[in-house]
Amino acid sequence: MITYLKVRNLAIVEELAIEPGAGLNVLTGETGAGKSLLIDSLEFLRGARSSTDMIRGGAEKMTAEAIFHLPNGAKKTLEAVGVETEPAGDGVELIVKREIAANGRGKVLVNGSALSVRELGSAMDAVLEIHGQHESHQRVAGQSYRQLLDDFGGHDALLDATRATHHAWRAAADQLEEMLGAQRDRTLRLDLLRYQLEEIGAAKLDPTEEDALRSERSILAHAREMIEATSGAFALLDDDESSALAQLARAQHLLQPLSKEIAELQQVATDLQDVAYRLQDVSRTLGNLSENVRHDPERLEEVEDRLVTIERLNKKYGGSIGAVLEHLSRIQDEYERLNDFEANVEKLHRSSEARRGDYRRASEKLSTARKKAAQKFQAAIQDELNDLAMERTTVRVTVEDGNESPEGTDKIDILIAPNRGEEPKPMQRIASGGELSRIQLAIAAALFKASTHAAAATLVFDEIDAGIGGRVAEVVGRKLQELSAHNQVVCVTHLPQIAAFGTTHFSVWKDDAGGHTRARIRRLDDEDQRVSEIARMLGGESIPASALLHARELLENARGVRTAKARR
C-alpha cells in the first residue's frame, strides 16, 4: 500500500503531500480543482509516458515520489526485475522517485537505484494498478487475466505441477538441442577433447602439490646460503663453551644457590630457565636444518620443470589445480557423450519426449480446470455487473489454445459486449473510461469474494462514477469498500454516495495567490468536515440544512454497512 505520496510542480500543483491510509481512500473536490493530477502523478510513478507539458509554468522540473509498504510476497516479484527491497515491519518498503526536467531529461530511482522507465513499469506491475485507463495492459487488481482466473479457481497445485514438468521438459530438450548442434563439429571437438584429456591426464596433478613445490624450490634455490646460515647460527647457540647456551648455563649456576633464599632472584632464575628451554628448541631446529638441507641442482631443476607444467595448465584451464581438475571432469563427461553420440541422442530424445508428455498431461489438467472455473468466474462477474446497473453488458471469460509456457498452453481473455446481441470484444477497445473502471471493479469484486489472496498492488479507480446516478453510486461505493477490506483502494469521485464509504477522505481545492492558481489538499479527519464536504457535493457551495442532514445519513449508512460486514 502507498503510505506517502509527494508531488511537486505538476501543472497547478506547486507541492502536495498526503499519507493515504489502509482501506478505501476517496478524493473529492470541485471539477478542475486538481484531483485528476494526483492520478496523473501515480501514472507517472507507474511508468507512463511523460511530457514537459506536465511541468508547472516557471519550474525547472516536476517530481513525484511515493513510499510503498508491501507484503513479503512482493519481494520475489520485485527482485526478479532487478529491484532490491528493504525490510520494514512485517513486509518490505519500496521508495519510488521520478522526475522530468524542463529540457526533457528524466530520472527514475527505486530504493536509491537508477532504473529505466521500462524497468519501472515492470516493477510497478506488482505495486500499483490504475483502473479506468485503456493502457492497462490486460491487468486487473495488479494481475494478468491468467492470474485472475487461476486465483479464482484455486489452481495453485495444478500450476506448480505444470511449471515443474515444463522445467524438466525444457531442460531435457535443451540438452538434446545442444547435443544435435554439437554433431556438426563433433569430430573436431573430439580431437580437441582428446588432446586436453591426454595433456591434463599426463600431468597427474595433485591439488596439494603446488604449495609444497614452491616451498621446496625456495629452499633448494638458497641451499648454500641456508647451510651456512643455519650451521653458523647453531654454532653460536650450542657448539662450544663460549656458545649462548653455555654462557646461559653459567649464569644459572651463579644464581642457583641464592634463588631459594631471595624471591627476586628466584624469578630471575625461572626466567633464565625458560629462555634456556626456548634456545634449546631453536638450536635443535637449526641443527636439523643444517644437516638436512642439501645443495641439489638436479632436484631444483625437476621442481622448476614441474612448476612450469602446473602454471601452464593453470593458465590454460582455469587458474588453479582445482579448476584444472574440474575442467578435466567436465570434458571427460563430454568426451564420453560425444564418443557414444548415437546412443546418447536416442536416449535424450526419449527423455525429452517423455517429459513433454508429462508437461502436456499436466497442462491439459490445468486447462480443464480453467475452463470450468471460467464459467463460474464469468457468472460471478456478470452478477457484479448487474449490481452496477450494467445488465446489458455481457462478459465472456475465454480459454483458448495458446503457446506452451511454464503456466500451461492456454490463452485467457476477458471479453465484453456493452449491449446484448453484440459480439464480445476486448474491453479496452469498446469501453469508456467510466465503464472500464466499473467493469474492472466487477472483476476484482468477483475475484476477491472467491479468493483468499489479497493483491499486493494498490488499486486506483479513476472515472468510476462517470454516467451513473445515486442508487448505482451507492452500490459502487459498497463494492469499493468491500474490495478495500483486503487491499488499499484509491478512488477519485464526484458523487457523495461513493465518498461516504471512504475510510480516509481527502478534499482537493484550488486557490489564487500572487496571480497564480495552486491546487491544495487536506485530509478530513473531523466528522463535521466530512459532513460539510459531502453536503457540498450534494447541494453546491450554498449548503442547505437538508444537504447537511442527508450527508450525515449517507455517512451513517456507509458506517453501518462497514460495521455489519466487520461483524460477519
Side-chain angles (χ1 to χ4, degrees):
M1 60 178 277
I2 304 173
T3 58
Y4 179 77
L5 172 66
K6 185 174 184 178
V7 187
R8 288 180 178 171
N9 300 323
L10 171 59
I12 63 171
V13 173
E14 186 174 45
E15 182 173 315
L16 291 180
I18 60 173
E19 295 181 3
L24 175 58
N25 295 262
V26 294
L27 284 78
T28 63
E30 294 181 351
T31 301
K35 301 184 299 298
S36 62
L37 293 176
L38 288 170
I39 303 301
D40 291 343
S41 70
L42 290 174
E43 291 178 24
F44 185 60
L45 289 170
R46 177 83 176 69
R49 291 181 181 177
S50 60
S51 166
T52 55
D53 294 338
M54 303 169 70
I55 303 174
R56 178 179 172 83
E60 294 182 357
K61 64 181 179 180
M62 187 272 282
T63 62
E65 54 188 303
I67 299 174
F68 296 85
H69 185 82
L70 306 171
N72 284 313
K75 181 177 181 179
K76 184 176 180 181
T77 303
L78 291 168
E79 289 181 347
V81 294
V83 175
E84 294 294 326
T85 56
E86 296 292 333
D90 58 349
V92 295
E93 186 175 78
L94 194 70
I95 301 174
V96 182
K97 182 176 181 180
R98 186 181 177 191
E99 65 181 43
I100 180 172
N103 61 10
R105 297 185 65 180
K107 182 168 68 172
V108 176
L109 294 175
V110 179
N111 280 354
S113 298
L115 295 184
S116 68
V117 174
R118 178 176 293 181
E119 289 169 333
L120 173 65
S122 297
M124 296 300 282
D125 276 347
V127 177
L128 182 64
E129 194 68 57
I130 300 177
H131 299 99
Q133 304 299 317
H134 286 75
E135 297 82 8
S136 59
H137 306 291
Q138 295 190 318
R139 299 179 70 82
V140 175
Q143 301 181 87
S144 66
Y145 292 164
R146 194 275 303 163
Q147 291 171 316
L148 291 171
L149 181 58
D150 285 335
D151 269 5
F152 181 88
H155 299 150
D156 289 355
L158 291 171
L159 264 173
D160 288 344
T162 303
R163 286 172 178 146
T165 54
H166 181 272
H167 177 77
W169 165 45
R170 290 313 314 165
D174 290 346
Q175 194 174 4
L176 175 61
E177 186 176 346
E178 182 183 351
M179 176 70 77
L180 291 173
Q183 184 178 16
R184 291 186 295 272
D185 56 354
R186 175 171 165 260
T187 302
L188 291 175
R189 183 64 178 167
L190 277 171
D191 288 343
L192 175 62
L193 293 175
R194 188 181 298 109
Y195 170 78
Q196 292 183 358
L197 287 170
E198 290 174 354
E199 182 182 32
I200 299 172
K204 297 180 181 178
L205 296 174
D206 181 343
T208 64
E209 69 175 312
E210 187 172 4
D211 289 341
L213 286 169
R214 292 188 185 281
S215 177
E216 185 180 358
R217 179 176 64 181
S218 295
I219 293 173
L220 290 169
H222 301 90
R224 292 182 185 276
E225 298 93 327
M226 191 171 176
I227 292 169
E228 291 177 4
T230 54
S231 60
F234 175 76
L236 291 172
L237 290 179
D238 189 15
D239 196 30
D240 55 37
E241 292 183 356
S242 61
S243 67
L245 279 170
Q247 298 297 332
L248 188 59
R250 292 190 186 96
Q252 287 178 285
H253 180 72
L254 290 172
L255 295 175
Q256 186 65 32
L258 294 174
S259 63
K260 295 178 181 180
E261 303 296 334
I262 301 172
E264 289 83 351
L265 292 180
Q266 184 177 12
Q267 182 59 49
V268 172
T270 301
D271 291 344
L272 285 174
Q273 186 62 53
D274 290 341
V275 172
Y277 288 148
R278 289 162 64 187
L279 280 177
Q280 288 169 2
D281 289 340
V282 172
S283 176
R284 278 193 293 271
T285 301
L286 289 170
N288 290 334
L289 287 172
S290 176
E291 292 177 1
N292 294 330
V293 172
R294 293 288 181 269
H295 178 58
D296 190 344
E298 292 183 2
R299 176 56 186 166
L300 177 59
E301 186 177 354
E302 290 176 6
V303 171
E304 292 279 11
D305 290 344
R306 181 62 175 172
L307 283 171
V308 167
T309 299
I310 291 172
E311 288 166 2
R312 175 172 51 80
L313 294 175
N314 286 350
K315 187 175 181 179
K316 288 178 68 173
Y317 301 118
S320 69
I321 291 179
V324 174
L325 293 176
E326 287 180 11
H327 178 75
L328 176 64
S329 177
R330 286 195 301 271
I331 63 175
Q332 281 175 332
D333 292 341
E334 185 181 357
Y335 183 82
E336 289 171 3
R337 288 199 307 271
L338 289 175
N339 214 27
D340 197 9
F341 180 79
E342 297 299 335
N344 279 301
V345 166
E346 179 60 28
K347 181 180 178 181
L348 286 173
H349 182 74
R350 288 196 304 270
S351 175
S352 177
E353 286 301 304
R355 283 166 172 71
R356 186 170 189 270
D358 293 339
Y359 166 71
R360 294 297 300 185
R361 285 186 289 274
S363 61
E364 285 168 7
K365 287 182 181 179
L366 178 58
S367 184
T368 300
R370 282 173 173 164
K371 288 172 182 175
K372 290 180 180 178
Q375 296 301 312
K376 296 178 181 178
F377 194 23
Q378 179 176 293
I381 297 170
Q382 192 68 59
D383 288 343
E384 299 293 335
L385 289 172
N386 294 345
D387 283 350
L388 294 169
M390 299 180 73
E391 299 92 342
R392 294 182 179 179
T393 300
T394 55
V395 61
R396 294 287 180 270
V397 181
T398 62
V399 181
E400 300 176 346
D401 290 339
N403 298 324
E404 293 171 328
S405 77
E407 284 74 37
T409 59
D410 298 316
K411 179 180 179 295
I412 297 162
D413 208 345
I414 299 179
L415 307 177
I416 297 293
N419 300 291
R420 293 190 179 96
E422 293 183 358
E423 185 70 22
K425 296 178 181 178
M427 57 184 167
Q428 284 83 359
R429 284 199 280 166
I430 60 172
S432 66
E435 289 174 329
L436 187 57
S437 273
R438 291 192 290 279
I439 292 167
Q440 291 168 326
L441 173 60
I443 294 170
L447 171 66
F448 292 120
K449 283 181 180 178
S451 172
T452 58
H453 295 174
T458 290
L459 312 181
V460 180
F461 289 89
D462 186 25
E463 302 182 35
I464 197 165
D465 54 9
I468 63 174
R471 185 190 69 81
V472 178
E474 184 175 346
V475 175
V476 170
R478 187 175 69 250
K479 290 190 181 298
L480 287 170
Q481 185 189 70
E482 291 171 352
L483 194 60
S484 72
H486 301 290
N487 309 275
Q488 185 188 50
V489 177
V490 177
C491 175
V492 174
T493 183
H494 300 85
L495 298 180
Q497 293 86 351
I498 294 176
F501 282 93
T503 309
T504 304
H505 191 157
F506 294 97
S507 174
V508 184
W509 76 100
K510 61 183 179 181
D511 60 20
D512 296 315
H516 295 284
T517 300
R518 293 178 175 85
R520 305 291 192 189
I521 190 168
R522 63 176 176 172
R523 177 171 169 159
L524 305 181
D525 292 321
D526 184 82
E527 179 76 6
D528 290 339
Q529 291 177 334
R530 291 201 70 190
V531 170
S532 295
E533 174 64 9
I534 291 175
R536 181 199 62 76
M537 298 171 75
L538 287 164
E541 290 302 324
S542 179
I543 303 173
S546 59
L548 290 169
L549 181 61
H550 191 188
R552 289 191 185 277
E553 289 175 351
L554 286 174
L555 285 168
E556 288 171 2
N557 177 61
R559 194 175 293 117
V561 170
R562 189 184 304 124
T563 303
K565 291 190 177 298
R567 286 173 180 167
R568 289 203 294 269

